[in-house]
Amino acid sequence: MQSQDRLRIAILAAYAIGLHGLERMIPAPVPWLRFGFANIITLTALILYGLRVAMTITLIRILIVSLFTGSFLGPGFVLSLGGGVASTLIMGGAYSLFSGIFSPVGIGLIGAMAHNLTQLSLAYLLFIRRMEAILFVAPLILFLGIITGMINGMASGLLLKKLGEKITVTKLNPKTKKEEKI
C-alpha cells in the first residue's frame, strides 16, 4: 500500500467517524437504528478507490467508534460490524458487476438493504431469538433503510460531482483494474 493510499484512507475514515459522531447526536426512533451517514463516505470511497479502500474505512470507523463509545465487542459492535461488512461487500459486488447500471443511489439502496437484513438476522440469531419481535420491527427498519439508502446515495453522488468539479478525480475501473478520470 502506497503512502498516498494510506493518506486517502485516513482522511476518508476521519470523515466517516465524524459523520457517525454527528449522527449519534440525533435521537434514534428505534434502538440500534441509525441513518448511516458514514456510508456516504464508504460509498464514495468504493466508487473512487475500490472495495479494499471502502472496506478498510468501514472497519476503521466501526472499530474506533466502538472504542470511543465503549461498545467494543458488545451487541452494538457485533451488529454494526456485521451490517457494515455485509453492506460494503454487497455494494462492492454490485458496483463491480453492474457499474454501468446502478447510480450511487442504486448502490446506496443495495447497501442499506444488505446492512439492515444482516443486522436483523444477527439480532435474531445472537440476541433476541423471537421471530415475532424481528418481524414486528423489520418493516419499519427496512422502510427507513430505503429512505436513508436513497439519501446517502444522493449525497454520495453530489459529493462525487463536486469532487469532479474541483479536482481531477480518478476512479478504479473494476473490470480493467486501472484508474480512470471521472
Side-chain angles (χ1 to χ4, degrees):
M1 183 179 295
Q2 298 179 356
S3 63
Q4 188 176 13
D5 291 338
R6 289 187 200 131
L7 181 62
R8 288 177 183 163
I9 290 170
I11 291 171
L12 291 170
Y15 280 126
I17 292 167
L19 282 174
H20 188 92
L22 288 174
E23 182 182 324
R24 288 186 65 87
M25 291 190 252
I26 301 171
V30 175
W32 297 323
L33 181 67
R34 297 281 174 214
F35 298 103
F37 295 143
N39 291 329
I40 295 168
I41 303 301
T42 301
L43 181 55
T44 302
L46 175 70
I47 292 171
L48 290 176
Y49 306 115
L51 178 60
R52 183 180 58 85
V53 171
M55 184 61 75
T56 303
I57 291 167
T58 297
L59 294 173
I60 289 171
R61 175 184 55 83
I62 292 168
L63 179 66
I64 289 179
V65 167
S66 70
L67 290 173
F68 279 134
T69 60
S71 64
F72 182 65
L73 299 180
F77 172 78
V78 172
L79 293 175
S80 181
L81 181 65
V85 168
S87 68
T88 303
L89 283 174
I90 290 177
M91 285 192 304
Y95 183 71
S96 178
L97 294 173
F98 311 109
S99 63
I101 296 172
F102 291 119
S103 68
V105 174
I107 301 292
L109 278 170
I110 291 168
M113 296 309 290
H115 192 276
N116 289 331
L117 289 172
T118 302
Q119 285 194 331
L120 287 168
S121 300
L122 287 173
Y124 173 74
L125 292 172
L126 300 176
F127 305 114
I128 297 175
R129 304 296 293 173
R130 291 183 44 221
M131 184 55 78
E132 65 274 7
I134 297 295
L135 292 175
F136 180 74
V137 298
L140 175 65
I141 289 175
L142 294 175
F143 174 72
L144 293 175
I146 289 171
I147 293 170
T148 60
M150 284 178 29
I151 291 170
N152 290 341
M154 288 189 291
S156 179
L158 288 172
L159 181 60
L160 288 165
K161 183 178 176 184
K162 289 292 181 188
L163 286 172
E165 290 173 0
K166 296 197 180 229
I167 57 174
T168 301
V169 177
T170 60
K171 71 174 186 174
L172 182 66
N173 184 327
K175 293 181 181 151
T176 64
K177 304 293 182 202
K178 294 183 179 178
E179 290 195 1
E180 300 174 343
K181 286 184 180 178
I182 58 172

